[in-house]
Amino acid sequence: MINLNKKFLIYGYGISGRSIEKYLYNKNCNYNIYDDYIKINHNKAIRKKNLLNNINKYTYFIISPSIKIEKSHFLYKYKKQILIDLDFLSLEISSQKILGVTGSEGKSSTCTYIKEILSKKYNVEIIGNYGNTILDKKNLTNYLSKIDIFIIELSSYQLDKLKFLRLNYALITNIFSDHLDYHQTLTKYISSKFRIQNLLYKNSNLYLSKKLFLKYQKYI
């Protein structure tokens, strides 16, 4: 479990970085912000030299899912301490059920179709790679109390880094050759997709087509 009393570095100040900053601010957490490319006019911003000199003071490094931490990157030795914004949802979920959806194509459409069906009976929200963020809501607890089911669209980038969030159900739509500039090989890309099953609670279900099962059963 994430300890909010520790010190955080937000690495990258894009949409997810700004969202998680609001969350940490609302939780009165100790954090700094760093971005390689954006000049941040903020009292929590830190310069790279200062960051490198004090890097051991940080317990967690929160990064944008699309950032690849290679061996040459200064955060590589801290990979076990790297989180993404969705990890923090694990601290806020209580009775809500979570369905994770991944795949090369059709993730957003699949999430939408599932929501249309489930919304006839439940209060459903789609988040994740779908584009919606919720952590920066001011009254997050009140908001969550109105949701029965979260559908989370998960990219291979997110699945590569997600550590704490757990799923009640997982679905893989399909797998085609994609994002090889990031994953380097098709085998690594396929493995990243099937990593979704590692996020399932015990005795929870992974859903995929018979065709996918027969083709990739060695990954299950």
Side-chain angles (χ1 to χ4, degrees):
M1 181 177 288
I2 303 168
N3 186 345
L4 293 178
N5 293 317
K6 298 296 184 178
K7 192 168 186 178
F8 299 83
L9 177 77
I10 300 171
Y11 181 80
Y13 203 49
I15 294 174
S16 63
R18 292 192 293 270
S19 175
I20 198 64
E21 186 214 350
K22 290 180 182 177
Y23 176 82
L24 295 180
Y25 177 83
N26 290 334
K27 295 289 185 179
N28 296 311
C29 294
N30 184 6
Y31 67 92
N32 287 115
I33 306 165
Y34 172 78
D35 194 293
D36 284 315
Y37 305 105
I38 301 174
K39 186 175 181 181
I40 307 167
N41 185 19
H42 195 301
N43 63 350
K44 292 289 186 178
I46 187 170
R47 294 180 180 274
K48 188 171 185 178
K49 183 178 180 180
N50 193 11
L51 168 59
L52 294 176
N53 288 337
N54 295 279
I55 197 164
N56 290 324
K57 294 181 180 179
Y58 297 96
T59 302
Y60 302 106
F61 302 90
I62 312 165
I63 73 172
S64 170
S66 61
I67 296 175
K68 186 174 183 181
I69 306 300
E70 299 180 293
K71 287 186 177 180
S72 58
H73 199 284
F74 69 89
L75 285 183
Y76 185 81
K77 64 184 290 188
Y78 303 96
K79 284 186 76 172
K80 291 183 178 179
Q81 297 163 243
I82 287 175
L83 306 174
I84 62 172
D85 53 352
L86 285 174
D87 279 304
F88 291 86
L89 192 57
S90 66
L91 300 176
E92 306 298 332
I93 291 296
S94 54
S95 60
Q96 298 88 355
K97 300 297 184 184
I98 304 181
L99 165 63
V101 178
T102 194
S104 301
E105 296 179 2
K107 293 189 294 296
S108 297
S109 298
T110 301
C111 290
T112 301
Y113 296 149
I114 294 173
K115 180 180 179 180
E116 287 179 3
I117 295 168
L118 294 177
S119 293
K120 294 176 181 178
K121 187 175 181 180
Y122 304 100
N123 290 324
V124 183
E125 183 67 85
I126 305 174
I127 59 174
N129 200 54
Y130 193 82
N132 294 343
T133 179
I134 62 169
L135 288 173
D136 54 9
K137 290 186 179 297
K138 202 162 190 179
N139 196 339
L140 182 58
T141 302
N142 182 57
Y143 168 79
L144 291 174
S145 68
K146 301 173 184 177
I147 303 297
D148 299 310
I149 300 172
F150 279 107
I151 302 171
I152 305 183
E153 181 182 323
L154 292 165
S155 69
S156 57
Y157 302 150
Q158 291 167 317
L159 291 170
D160 255 0
K161 299 178 179 71
L162 197 52
K163 291 182 174 68
F164 290 100
L165 187 64
R166 292 294 174 261
L167 309 174
N168 300 98
Y169 310 96
L171 170 66
I172 302 176
T173 59
N174 48 53
I175 297 178
F176 301 110
S177 179
D178 201 0
H179 298 305
L180 297 189
D181 55 332
Y182 179 94
H183 294 285
Q184 297 178 328
T185 68
L186 182 58
T187 298
K188 289 181 180 178
Y189 175 65
I190 296 168
S191 295
S192 74
K193 288 300 186 186
F194 276 91
R195 196 167 288 125
I196 195 171
Q197 65 191 325
N198 299 335
L199 303 176
L200 284 166
Y201 286 110
K202 188 177 180 180
N203 298 323
S204 296
N205 296 321
L206 168 66
Y207 296 93
L208 65 165
S209 68
K210 183 178 180 180
K211 181 179 178 180
L212 277 181
F213 173 76
L214 292 174
K215 188 173 183 179
Y216 299 118
Q217 56 185 302
K218 70 176 183 179
Y219 293 93
I220 299 174

Coordinates of all heavy atoms in Angstrom, one line a residue, residues 163-193:
K163 N 1.1 -1.0 -10.1 CA 1.5 -1.8 -9.0 C 0.4 -2.2 -8.0 O 0.3 -3.3 -7.5 CB 2.7 -1.2 -8.3 CG 4.0 -1.2 -9.1 CD 5.1 -0.6 -8.3 CE 6.4 -0.7 -9.1 NZ 6.4 0.2 -10.3
F164 N -0.4 -1.2 -7.6 CA -1.3 -1.4 -6.5 C -2.7 -1.6 -6.8 O -3.4 -2.2 -6.0 CB -1.1 -0.2 -5.5 CG 0.2 -0.1 -4.8 CD1 1.2 0.7 -5.3 CD2 0.5 -0.9 -3.7 CE1 2.5 0.7 -4.7 CE2 1.7 -0.9 -3.1 CZ 2.7 -0.1 -3.6
L165 N -3.2 -1.1 -7.9 CA -4.6 -1.2 -8.2 C -5.0 -2.7 -8.5 O -4.2 -3.3 -9.2 CB -5.0 -0.3 -9.4 CG -6.5 -0.2 -9.7 CD1 -7.3 0.4 -8.6 CD2 -6.7 0.5 -11.0
R166 N -6.1 -3.1 -8.0 CA -6.6 -4.5 -8.3 C -7.9 -4.5 -9.0 O -8.7 -3.6 -8.8 CB -6.7 -5.3 -6.9 CG -5.3 -5.6 -6.3 CD -4.5 -6.5 -7.2 NE -3.1 -6.7 -6.7 CZ -2.1 -6.0 -7.1 NH1 -2.2 -5.1 -8.1 NH2 -0.9 -6.3 -6.6
L167 N -8.1 -5.5 -9.8 CA -9.3 -5.6 -10.6 C -10.2 -6.8 -10.2 O -9.7 -7.8 -9.8 CB -8.9 -5.8 -12.1 CG -7.9 -4.8 -12.7 CD1 -7.5 -5.3 -14.1 CD2 -8.4 -3.4 -12.7
N168 N -11.5 -6.6 -10.4 CA -12.5 -7.7 -10.1 C -12.6 -8.5 -11.4 O -12.9 -9.7 -11.4 CB -13.8 -7.1 -9.7 CG -13.7 -6.3 -8.4 OD1 -13.6 -5.1 -8.4 ND2 -13.7 -7.0 -7.3
Y169 N -12.5 -7.8 -12.6 CA -12.6 -8.5 -13.9 C -11.6 -7.9 -14.8 O -11.3 -6.7 -14.7 CB -14.0 -8.3 -14.4 CG -15.1 -8.6 -13.5 CD1 -15.8 -7.6 -12.7 CD2 -15.6 -9.9 -13.3 CE1 -16.8 -7.9 -11.8 CE2 -16.6 -10.2 -12.4 CZ -17.2 -9.2 -11.7 OH -18.2 -9.5 -10.8
A170 N -11.2 -8.7 -15.8 CA -10.2 -8.1 -16.8 C -10.6 -8.7 -18.2 O -11.1 -9.8 -18.3 CB -8.8 -8.6 -16.5
L171 N -10.5 -7.9 -19.2 CA -10.9 -8.2 -20.5 C -9.8 -7.8 -21.5 O -9.3 -6.6 -21.5 CB -12.2 -7.5 -20.9 CG -12.6 -7.5 -22.4 CD1 -13.0 -9.0 -22.8 CD2 -13.8 -6.6 -22.6
I172 N -9.4 -8.7 -22.4 CA -8.4 -8.4 -23.5 C -9.2 -8.4 -24.8 O -9.8 -9.5 -25.2 CB -7.3 -9.3 -23.6 CG1 -6.5 -9.3 -22.2 CG2 -6.3 -9.0 -24.7 CD1 -5.3 -10.3 -22.2
T173 N -9.3 -7.3 -25.5 CA -10.2 -7.3 -26.7 C -9.5 -8.0 -27.9 O -10.1 -8.8 -28.6 CB -10.4 -5.8 -27.2 OG1 -9.2 -5.2 -27.4 CG2 -11.2 -5.1 -26.1
N174 N -8.2 -7.7 -28.1 CA -7.5 -8.3 -29.2 C -6.0 -7.9 -29.1 O -5.7 -7.1 -28.2 CB -8.0 -7.8 -30.6 CG -8.2 -6.3 -30.6 OD1 -7.2 -5.6 -30.3 ND2 -9.4 -5.8 -31.0
I175 N -5.2 -8.5 -29.9 CA -3.7 -8.2 -29.8 C -3.2 -8.2 -31.3 O -3.2 -9.2 -32.0 CB -2.9 -9.2 -29.0 CG1 -3.4 -9.1 -27.5 CG2 -1.4 -8.9 -29.1 CD1 -2.6 -10.1 -26.6
F176 N -2.7 -7.0 -31.7 CA -2.0 -6.9 -33.0 C -0.7 -6.2 -32.7 O -0.4 -5.7 -31.6 CB -2.8 -6.0 -33.9 CG -4.2 -6.5 -34.2 CD1 -5.3 -5.8 -33.7 CD2 -4.4 -7.6 -34.9 CE1 -6.6 -6.3 -33.9 CE2 -5.7 -8.1 -35.2 CZ -6.8 -7.4 -34.7
S177 N 0.2 -6.3 -33.7 CA 1.5 -5.7 -33.6 C 1.4 -4.1 -33.4 O 0.8 -3.5 -34.2 CB 2.4 -6.0 -34.8 OG 3.6 -5.4 -34.7
D178 N 1.8 -3.6 -32.2 CA 1.6 -2.2 -31.9 C 2.7 -1.8 -30.9 O 3.2 -2.6 -30.1 CB 0.2 -2.0 -31.4 CG -0.2 -0.6 -31.5 OD1 0.5 0.3 -32.1 OD2 -1.4 -0.2 -31.1
H179 N 3.0 -0.5 -30.9 CA 3.8 0.1 -29.9 C 5.2 -0.6 -29.8 O 5.8 -0.6 -28.7 CB 3.2 0.1 -28.5 CG 1.9 0.9 -28.4 ND1 1.8 2.2 -28.8 CD2 0.6 0.6 -28.0 CE1 0.6 2.7 -28.6 NE2 -0.2 1.7 -28.2
L180 N 5.7 -1.1 -30.9 CA 7.0 -1.8 -30.8 C 8.2 -0.8 -30.7 O 9.3 -1.2 -30.3 CB 7.2 -2.6 -32.1 CG 6.2 -3.7 -32.3 CD1 6.6 -4.7 -33.4 CD2 5.9 -4.5 -31.0
D181 N 7.9 0.5 -30.9 CA 9.0 1.5 -30.6 C 9.2 1.6 -29.1 O 10.3 1.9 -28.7 CB 8.6 2.9 -31.2 CG 7.2 3.3 -30.7 OD1 6.3 2.5 -30.4 OD2 7.0 4.5 -30.6
Y182 N 8.2 1.3 -28.3 CA 8.3 1.3 -26.9 C 8.7 -0.1 -26.3 O 9.6 -0.2 -25.5 CB 7.0 1.7 -26.3 CG 6.9 1.7 -24.8 CD1 7.2 2.9 -24.1 CD2 6.6 0.6 -24.0 CE1 7.2 2.9 -22.7 CE2 6.6 0.6 -22.6 CZ 6.9 1.8 -22.0 OH 6.8 1.8 -20.6
H183 N 8.0 -1.2 -26.8 CA 8.2 -2.5 -26.3 C 9.3 -3.3 -26.9 O 9.8 -4.3 -26.4 CB 6.9 -3.3 -26.4 CG 5.8 -2.8 -25.5 ND1 5.8 -2.9 -24.1 CD2 4.7 -2.1 -25.8 CE1 4.7 -2.4 -23.6 NE2 4.0 -1.8 -24.7
Q184 N 9.8 -2.8 -28.1 CA 10.9 -3.4 -28.9 C 10.6 -4.7 -29.6 O 11.0 -4.8 -30.8 CB 12.1 -3.6 -28.0 CG 12.6 -2.2 -27.4 CD 13.8 -2.4 -26.4 OE1 13.9 -3.5 -25.8 NE2 14.7 -1.5 -26.4
T185 N 9.9 -5.6 -28.9 CA 9.6 -6.9 -29.6 C 8.1 -7.2 -29.4 O 7.5 -6.7 -28.4 CB 10.4 -8.0 -29.1 OG1 10.0 -8.3 -27.7 CG2 11.9 -7.8 -29.1
L186 N 7.5 -7.9 -30.3 CA 6.1 -8.3 -30.2 C 5.9 -9.2 -29.0 O 4.9 -9.1 -28.3 CB 5.7 -9.1 -31.4 CG 4.2 -9.6 -31.5 CD1 3.3 -8.4 -31.4 CD2 4.0 -10.3 -32.8
T187 N 6.9 -10.0 -28.6 CA 6.7 -10.9 -27.4 C 6.6 -10.0 -26.2 O 5.7 -10.3 -25.3 CB 8.0 -11.8 -27.3 OG1 8.0 -12.6 -28.4 CG2 7.9 -12.6 -26.0
K188 N 7.4 -8.9 -26.1 CA 7.3 -8.1 -24.9 C 6.0 -7.3 -24.9 O 5.4 -7.1 -23.8 CB 8.5 -7.1 -24.9 CG 9.8 -7.7 -24.6 CD 10.9 -6.6 -24.6 CE 12.2 -7.2 -24.3 NZ 13.3 -6.2 -24.3
Y189 N 5.5 -7.0 -26.0 CA 4.2 -6.3 -26.1 C 3.0 -7.2 -25.7 O 2.2 -6.8 -24.9 CB 3.9 -5.8 -27.6 CG 2.6 -5.2 -27.8 CD1 2.2 -4.0 -27.1 CD2 1.7 -5.8 -28.7 CE1 0.9 -3.5 -27.3 CE2 0.4 -5.2 -28.9 CZ 0.1 -4.1 -28.2 OH -1.2 -3.5 -28.4
I190 N 3.1 -8.4 -26.2 CA 2.0 -9.4 -25.8 C 2.1 -9.6 -24.3 O 1.1 -9.7 -23.6 CB 2.2 -10.7 -26.5 CG1 2.0 -10.5 -28.0 CG2 1.3 -11.8 -26.0 CD1 2.5 -11.7 -28.9
S191 N 3.3 -9.8 -23.7 CA 3.4 -10.0 -22.3 C 2.9 -8.8 -21.5 O 2.3 -9.0 -20.4 CB 4.9 -10.2 -21.9 OG 5.4 -11.4 -22.5
S192 N 3.0 -7.6 -22.0 CA 2.5 -6.4 -21.3 C 1.0 -6.5 -21.3 O 0.4 -6.1 -20.3 CB 3.0 -5.2 -22.0 OG 2.3 -4.9 -23.2
K193 N 0.4 -6.9 -22.3 CA -1.1 -7.0 -22.3 C -1.6 -8.1 -21.3 O -2.6 -7.8 -20.6 CB -1.6 -7.4 -23.8 CG -1.5 -6.2 -24.7 CD -2.3 -5.0 -24.3 CE -2.3 -3.9 -25.3 NZ -2.9 -2.7 -24.8

